[in-house]
Amino acid sequence: MTNDGEQGRGQEQPSAHGGGSGGGGDWQRDVLRELGGGGSGPSDAGTHTGAEAGARAGARAGTEGDAPGPHAPGAVLPDASASPDAPPSAPGAPDGPASPSPIAADRAIDEPVPERPAAPAVPAPASVPAHGSRLPAAPAPESSPTLDPRLLLALGRPLRGDSVTRRTGRALRGLTSSAAQDVAEQTRIAREVQQPVTTGRVVAVTSISGGVGKSTVSALLGRTLNHYRHDPVLTLEADAALGTLPVRLGAEAVRWTCADLASVLHPSMRLTDVTGYLVPVPDGGWLLPAGRGQVGPPLDMTSYRKVTLALRRYFAVTVVDCETLPGEVARTAMDTAHARVVVSPATAEGVNATRQVLDWLARLPHSALATTVVALVSGTPDALLDGKTAAGHLKEAGVTVVTVPYDRHLAGGGPIRTDLLAHDTRQAVLRLAAEVMGRAVRVR
């Protein structure tokens, strides 16, 4: 992903969290063994050297009569420059790479994340490949619009986050302020956001209740990271309760969901194969929704773990819009992520409940509080709670608090247009992204 990837490889190891609700780190090996199509159990994976693992992967590729797997010796990593017209590889197809052994698959999370693909998104596959067999493929899910077309016609013109008066006042203040100092500060923050990683980082975003701006913060984080970074960024929705993330990211329709992708993921897939199942975000980046805009079963913990672990091979950063606490997937995501964002409304009851969440994070076995940032979101221009007092109460738990001010554009709902965001909102989200990446990169 970066020119100093070799140096980063020696300093950074992929996270193996999962102590609180995940039952230790064994679930990662279970998922990787399942992706590899079976084979030796977890007890065997730690008893062989890297050379033996590579030999086993090459031997399996040779016995199946296919090309070496993506992690066999001499194999080629996922190629971001592959033709965008190529459909996703069907596991077990005669012209595709063989499935690597579980040991080789376990090494997948240590592989560098490929650069952002320059090609456009490939069309969604017409059918789901039958995993590990040559049986007829199952029919693909139907595409569904994120909003009813009648509601699209009812949408008015989006407002700017800043009023004319505020924009004029800022322009006048800019004439007397130090431009060099402002540029230096922006450069420093941008470098924090652009920190190199050698394995994909997962950022979990949650809250103690719905309707406080959790999906909005997730969408803003995903777009900000994609804008400043030069490697692939994914925004994943793990809240199937008719979430608003696809609408906020400007997706017109959704088709494949997180649960659908869990059934077709395979280590032989390239980045261009995987993106065929995703929704391209208009401003860049990718989206994986949790549902198709209909009431359905919630995302199960097994599917979440399988998808997030597998997609770390392809995306530098994955922003997860979790369900609200204390949901099972939300607790698992908060426990296993590299960095966490707790969204709190700027109200007395919201801040009080968020403080209880922070006290819970402090009791987790791997010091999750040290990698947590609180986004204090103001949903009204006439807030009754003093912002400094609220932030101070949350900081007592030992976390950094980033205040996201009221923004007329965000309050209006609908797709987010970054060019219409208020100046203070853009600065707050950029600082939030910098704080999150600073913590995610430090996690071993």
Side-chain angles (χ1 to χ4, degrees):
M1 173 168 311
T2 59
N3 292 333
D4 40 62
E6 295 183 358
Q7 179 180 357
R9 188 187 302 273
Q11 298 174 349
E12 177 183 291
Q13 298 295 328
S15 173
H17 296 168
S21 58
D26 294 338
W27 65 267
Q28 293 194 357
R29 288 179 179 170
D30 293 341
V31 170
L32 288 169
R33 189 171 68 256
E34 180 182 350
L35 288 172
S40 59
S43 61
D44 296 333
T47 59
H48 300 279
T49 63
E52 292 171 332
R56 289 196 170 194
R60 177 167 181 171
T63 57
E64 295 181 358
D66 295 331
H71 301 291
V76 180
L77 291 177
D79 185 7
S81 63
S83 172
D85 298 326
S89 302
D95 57 345
S99 304
S101 68
I103 303 175
D106 200 8
R107 298 171 57 196
I109 58 176
D110 293 326
E111 296 293 346
V113 181
E115 295 297 321
R116 182 191 306 217
V122 298
S127 59
V128 182
H131 179 71
S133 69
R134 302 179 187 275
L135 298 176
E142 295 291 335
S143 178
S144 301
T146 55
L147 281 178
D148 190 294
R150 294 170 295 181
L151 294 177
L152 291 176
L153 295 176
L155 279 178
R157 184 178 180 181
L159 294 174
R160 284 186 173 272
D162 282 330
S163 63
V164 176
T165 303
R166 296 189 66 178
R167 295 199 303 270
T168 303
R170 184 179 305 106
L172 294 175
R173 290 192 299 270
L175 298 175
T176 58
S177 63
S178 173
Q181 184 176 359
D182 293 342
V183 171
E185 178 66 11
Q186 292 298 310
T187 302
R188 182 191 67 81
I189 297 178
R191 286 176 178 172
E192 288 286 324
V193 179
Q194 296 170 348
Q195 291 187 74
V197 297
T198 54
T199 58
R201 306 281 94 178
V202 178
V203 178
V205 182
T206 190
S207 62
I208 195 61
S209 60
V212 302
K214 172 178 62 66
S215 296
T216 298
V217 170
S218 300
L220 291 171
L221 264 180
R223 286 194 163 184
T224 301
L225 290 169
N226 178 79
H227 176 76
Y228 282 91
R229 299 189 64 86
H230 302 287
D231 36 28
V233 175
L234 172 68
T235 307
L236 186 150
E237 185 183 37
D239 184 1
L242 299 179
T244 60
L245 183 63
V247 176
R248 296 303 251 170
L249 285 175
E252 297 181 357
V254 294
R255 187 174 188 179
W256 298 91
T257 67
C258 191
D260 295 332
L261 188 58
S263 64
V264 299
L265 277 172
H266 196 266
S268 63
M269 287 183 172
R270 295 175 179 265
L271 175 60
T272 48
D273 298 332
V274 173
T275 54
Y277 295 95
L278 308 178
V279 180
V281 178
D283 290 347
W286 306 93
L287 163 68
L288 179 59
R292 284 180 282 273
Q294 302 171 352
V295 178
L299 179 66
D300 63 277
M301 191 167 55
T302 302
S303 296
Y304 170 78
R305 286 172 163 175
K306 181 176 181 180
V307 169
T308 52
L309 180 62
L311 292 183
R312 282 171 53 187
R313 292 182 57 201
Y314 308 98
F315 296 94
V317 186
T318 300
V319 178
V320 182
D321 180 15
C322 302
E323 61 182 351
T324 56
L325 291 167
E328 184 180 35
V329 173
R331 288 185 284 111
T332 300
M334 294 292 284
D335 191 21
T336 58
H338 299 92
R340 303 150 184 86
V341 177
V342 179
V343 180
S344 170
T347 61
E349 59 273 23
V351 172
N352 183 69
T354 302
R355 177 61 187 270
Q356 296 180 29
V357 173
L358 298 178
D359 293 339
W360 167 71
L361 289 173
R363 295 192 294 270
L364 292 180
H366 49 267
S367 302
L369 201 62
T371 55
T372 300
V373 183
V374 174
L376 185 62
V377 179
S378 178
T380 173
D382 303 314
L384 298 178
L385 183 65
D386 179 69
K388 291 184 178 180
T389 302
H393 182 69
L394 295 171
K395 288 179 180 178
E396 290 177 357
V399 298
T400 297
V401 178
V402 178
T403 301
V404 181
Y406 170 77
D407 189 296
R408 298 190 309 170
H409 177 61
L410 296 178
I416 297 175
R417 287 181 49 183
T418 53
D419 59 316
L420 297 182
L421 292 174
H423 176 270
D424 292 345
T425 302
R426 289 196 298 268
Q427 298 303 309
V429 175
L430 180 58
R431 183 189 168 205
L432 179 63
E435 295 286 350
V436 165
M437 285 305 302
R439 287 157 176 77
V441 169
R442 290 196 297 267
V443 173
R444 302 300 183 190

